[in-house]
Short mmCIF file of all heavy atoms in Angstrom, two decimals:
data_model
loop_
_atom_site.label_atom_id
_atom_site.label_comp_id
_atom_site.label_asym_id
_atom_site.label_seq_id
_atom_site.Cartn_x
_atom_site.Cartn_y
_atom_site.Cartn_z
N PRO A 671 -20.82 17.61 -8.16
CA PRO A 671 -21.14 16.21 -7.85
C PRO A 671 -20.70 15.26 -8.96
O PRO A 671 -21.54 14.60 -9.46
CB PRO A 671 -22.62 16.21 -7.59
CG PRO A 671 -23.16 17.49 -7.96
CD PRO A 671 -22.01 18.38 -8.34
N ALA A 672 -19.46 15.25 -9.24
CA ALA A 672 -18.94 14.29 -10.25
C ALA A 672 -18.65 13.00 -9.53
O ALA A 672 -18.64 12.90 -8.28
CB ALA A 672 -17.65 14.84 -10.91
N ALA A 673 -18.28 11.95 -10.27
CA ALA A 673 -17.96 10.69 -9.67
C ALA A 673 -16.74 10.84 -8.81
O ALA A 673 -15.68 11.48 -9.16
CB ALA A 673 -17.68 9.69 -10.79
N PRO A 674 -16.76 10.30 -7.59
CA PRO A 674 -15.65 10.45 -6.66
C PRO A 674 -14.49 9.62 -7.11
O PRO A 674 -14.62 8.62 -7.80
CB PRO A 674 -16.17 9.91 -5.35
CG PRO A 674 -17.34 9.05 -5.71
CD PRO A 674 -17.90 9.59 -6.96
N ALA A 675 -13.26 10.17 -6.87
CA ALA A 675 -12.07 9.51 -7.26
C ALA A 675 -11.97 8.17 -6.45
O ALA A 675 -12.31 8.14 -5.27
CB ALA A 675 -10.91 10.35 -6.98
N PRO A 676 -11.51 7.11 -7.08
CA PRO A 676 -11.39 5.84 -6.37
C PRO A 676 -10.39 5.97 -5.25
O PRO A 676 -9.36 6.68 -5.34
CB PRO A 676 -10.91 4.85 -7.43
CG PRO A 676 -10.44 5.64 -8.58
CD PRO A 676 -11.05 6.99 -8.47
N SER A 677 -10.66 5.36 -4.13
CA SER A 677 -9.77 5.46 -2.98
C SER A 677 -8.47 4.65 -3.29
O SER A 677 -8.36 3.83 -4.20
CB SER A 677 -10.41 4.85 -1.70
OG SER A 677 -10.60 3.51 -1.86
N MET A 678 -7.48 4.85 -2.47
CA MET A 678 -6.18 4.22 -2.65
C MET A 678 -6.40 2.68 -2.48
O MET A 678 -5.76 1.94 -3.20
CB MET A 678 -5.17 4.73 -1.63
CG MET A 678 -3.82 4.19 -1.91
SD MET A 678 -2.58 4.66 -0.72
CE MET A 678 -2.63 6.42 -0.71
N ILE A 679 -7.20 2.30 -1.58
CA ILE A 679 -7.42 0.88 -1.38
C ILE A 679 -8.04 0.19 -2.59
O ILE A 679 -7.62 -0.87 -3.00
CB ILE A 679 -8.30 0.59 -0.11
CG1 ILE A 679 -7.46 1.09 1.16
CG2 ILE A 679 -8.70 -0.83 0.08
CD1 ILE A 679 -8.30 1.04 2.40
N ASP A 680 -9.04 0.91 -3.15
CA ASP A 680 -9.69 0.40 -4.36
C ASP A 680 -8.67 0.24 -5.51
O ASP A 680 -8.70 -0.71 -6.26
CB ASP A 680 -10.86 1.28 -4.84
CG ASP A 680 -12.00 1.14 -3.87
OD1 ASP A 680 -12.14 0.15 -3.09
OD2 ASP A 680 -12.80 2.19 -3.80
N GLN A 681 -7.76 1.24 -5.59
CA GLN A 681 -6.80 1.23 -6.67
C GLN A 681 -5.79 0.11 -6.48
O GLN A 681 -5.38 -0.60 -7.36
CB GLN A 681 -6.06 2.53 -6.77
CG GLN A 681 -6.95 3.69 -7.26
CD GLN A 681 -6.20 4.96 -7.25
OE1 GLN A 681 -5.25 5.15 -6.61
NE2 GLN A 681 -6.82 5.99 -7.96
N LEU A 682 -5.42 -0.15 -5.18
CA LEU A 682 -4.44 -1.23 -4.90
C LEU A 682 -5.14 -2.58 -5.18
O LEU A 682 -4.48 -3.53 -5.69
CB LEU A 682 -4.00 -1.16 -3.41
CG LEU A 682 -3.00 -0.03 -3.09
CD1 LEU A 682 -2.82 0.03 -1.61
CD2 LEU A 682 -1.69 -0.28 -3.78
N LYS A 683 -6.42 -2.74 -4.86
CA LYS A 683 -7.11 -3.96 -5.10
C LYS A 683 -7.17 -4.24 -6.61
O LYS A 683 -6.93 -5.37 -7.10
CB LYS A 683 -8.58 -3.94 -4.58
CG LYS A 683 -8.66 -4.04 -3.06
CD LYS A 683 -10.07 -3.98 -2.67
CE LYS A 683 -10.20 -4.06 -1.15
NZ LYS A 683 -11.63 -3.92 -0.72
N GLU A 684 -7.47 -3.16 -7.45
CA GLU A 684 -7.48 -3.28 -8.85
C GLU A 684 -6.07 -3.67 -9.36
O GLU A 684 -6.02 -4.52 -10.30
CB GLU A 684 -7.94 -2.01 -9.49
CG GLU A 684 -8.11 -2.02 -11.01
CD GLU A 684 -8.62 -0.71 -11.56
OE1 GLU A 684 -9.33 0.03 -10.86
OE2 GLU A 684 -8.36 -0.51 -12.69
N LEU A 685 -5.04 -3.14 -8.86
CA LEU A 685 -3.69 -3.47 -9.31
C LEU A 685 -3.42 -4.96 -8.97
O LEU A 685 -2.81 -5.68 -9.78
CB LEU A 685 -2.64 -2.60 -8.59
CG LEU A 685 -2.40 -1.21 -9.20
CD1 LEU A 685 -1.45 -0.41 -8.28
CD2 LEU A 685 -1.91 -1.27 -10.62
N GLY A 686 -3.85 -5.38 -7.80
CA GLY A 686 -3.67 -6.80 -7.41
C GLY A 686 -4.38 -7.71 -8.37
O GLY A 686 -3.86 -8.79 -8.71
N GLU A 687 -5.58 -7.38 -8.75
CA GLU A 687 -6.36 -8.21 -9.65
C GLU A 687 -5.68 -8.29 -11.01
O GLU A 687 -5.63 -9.36 -11.65
CB GLU A 687 -7.80 -7.63 -9.81
CG GLU A 687 -8.64 -7.80 -8.52
CD GLU A 687 -9.93 -7.10 -8.65
OE1 GLU A 687 -10.31 -6.58 -9.67
OE2 GLU A 687 -10.73 -7.08 -7.60
N LEU A 688 -5.17 -7.08 -11.45
CA LEU A 688 -4.52 -7.07 -12.75
C LEU A 688 -3.28 -7.93 -12.68
O LEU A 688 -2.86 -8.63 -13.67
CB LEU A 688 -4.10 -5.66 -13.12
CG LEU A 688 -5.30 -4.75 -13.58
CD1 LEU A 688 -4.81 -3.34 -13.79
CD2 LEU A 688 -5.97 -5.26 -14.83
N LYS A 689 -2.59 -7.99 -11.52
CA LYS A 689 -1.30 -8.83 -11.38
C LYS A 689 -1.74 -10.26 -11.39
O LYS A 689 -1.09 -11.13 -12.07
CB LYS A 689 -0.63 -8.47 -10.09
CG LYS A 689 0.64 -9.26 -9.85
CD LYS A 689 1.18 -8.90 -8.51
CE LYS A 689 2.10 -10.06 -8.07
NZ LYS A 689 2.19 -10.21 -6.64
N GLU A 690 -2.82 -10.66 -10.76
CA GLU A 690 -3.34 -12.03 -10.66
C GLU A 690 -3.72 -12.48 -12.06
O GLU A 690 -3.58 -13.68 -12.40
CB GLU A 690 -4.49 -12.24 -9.72
CG GLU A 690 -4.03 -12.08 -8.22
CD GLU A 690 -5.29 -12.12 -7.27
OE1 GLU A 690 -6.32 -12.44 -7.67
OE2 GLU A 690 -5.02 -11.88 -6.12
N GLN A 691 -4.28 -11.60 -12.80
CA GLN A 691 -4.76 -11.98 -14.22
C GLN A 691 -3.64 -12.11 -15.15
O GLN A 691 -3.80 -12.58 -16.32
CB GLN A 691 -5.82 -10.95 -14.71
CG GLN A 691 -7.07 -10.97 -13.97
CD GLN A 691 -7.96 -9.82 -14.36
OE1 GLN A 691 -7.62 -8.95 -15.23
NE2 GLN A 691 -9.16 -9.61 -13.68
N GLY A 692 -2.41 -11.62 -14.73
CA GLY A 692 -1.23 -11.67 -15.61
C GLY A 692 -1.09 -10.52 -16.55
O GLY A 692 -0.28 -10.44 -17.44
N VAL A 693 -1.93 -9.46 -16.31
CA VAL A 693 -1.83 -8.23 -17.13
C VAL A 693 -0.61 -7.49 -16.79
O VAL A 693 0.12 -6.89 -17.56
CB VAL A 693 -3.06 -7.40 -16.99
CG1 VAL A 693 -3.04 -6.04 -17.71
CG2 VAL A 693 -4.34 -8.20 -17.45
N LEU A 694 -0.24 -7.42 -15.45
CA LEU A 694 0.93 -6.71 -14.95
C LEU A 694 1.96 -7.73 -14.49
O LEU A 694 1.59 -8.75 -13.88
CB LEU A 694 0.49 -5.83 -13.76
CG LEU A 694 -0.39 -4.66 -14.00
CD1 LEU A 694 -0.69 -3.95 -12.67
CD2 LEU A 694 0.23 -3.68 -14.94
N THR A 695 3.16 -7.41 -14.73
CA THR A 695 4.25 -8.19 -14.20
C THR A 695 4.55 -7.81 -12.74
O THR A 695 3.99 -6.79 -12.29
CB THR A 695 5.57 -8.01 -14.98
OG1 THR A 695 5.98 -6.71 -14.83
CG2 THR A 695 5.31 -8.32 -16.46
N GLU A 696 5.38 -8.61 -12.07
CA GLU A 696 5.70 -8.18 -10.68
C GLU A 696 6.39 -6.90 -10.53
O GLU A 696 6.00 -6.09 -9.67
CB GLU A 696 6.61 -9.34 -10.13
CG GLU A 696 6.96 -9.14 -8.63
CD GLU A 696 5.76 -9.35 -7.71
OE1 GLU A 696 4.96 -10.26 -8.03
OE2 GLU A 696 5.71 -8.68 -6.75
N ASP A 697 7.23 -6.60 -11.51
CA ASP A 697 7.94 -5.25 -11.46
C ASP A 697 6.93 -4.11 -11.71
O ASP A 697 6.97 -3.06 -11.10
CB ASP A 697 9.07 -5.26 -12.52
CG ASP A 697 10.19 -6.16 -12.16
OD1 ASP A 697 10.39 -6.50 -10.92
OD2 ASP A 697 10.90 -6.62 -13.12
N GLU A 698 6.05 -4.32 -12.72
CA GLU A 698 5.05 -3.24 -13.05
C GLU A 698 4.12 -3.05 -11.82
O GLU A 698 3.79 -1.89 -11.46
CB GLU A 698 4.25 -3.63 -14.25
CG GLU A 698 5.03 -3.64 -15.52
CD GLU A 698 4.23 -4.21 -16.73
OE1 GLU A 698 3.36 -5.03 -16.45
OE2 GLU A 698 4.55 -3.85 -17.84
N PHE A 699 3.74 -4.16 -11.23
CA PHE A 699 2.89 -4.01 -10.05
C PHE A 699 3.61 -3.27 -8.87
O PHE A 699 3.02 -2.35 -8.30
CB PHE A 699 2.52 -5.47 -9.58
CG PHE A 699 1.75 -5.44 -8.23
CD1 PHE A 699 0.44 -5.01 -8.14
CD2 PHE A 699 2.36 -5.78 -7.07
CE1 PHE A 699 -0.26 -5.04 -6.95
CE2 PHE A 699 1.70 -5.80 -5.91
CZ PHE A 699 0.40 -5.44 -5.83
#
């Protein structure tokens, strides 16, 4: 019973947030 892996949707949302914050460029995203 370890922490479940984040779903693909959650990971995509996190990537989108990082892009909006300017942490990721369009190409990296």
Side-chain angles (χ1 to χ4, degrees):
S677 68
M678 186 183 305
I679 295 174
D680 291 337
Q681 291 176 344
L682 287 171
K683 285 180 183 179
E684 185 177 333
L685 281 175
E687 290 173 5
L688 290 172
K689 181 184 160 207
E690 288 176 9
Q691 294 171 1
V693 176
L694 293 177
T695 64
E696 185 67 37
D697 293 334
E698 292 172 333
F699 172 75

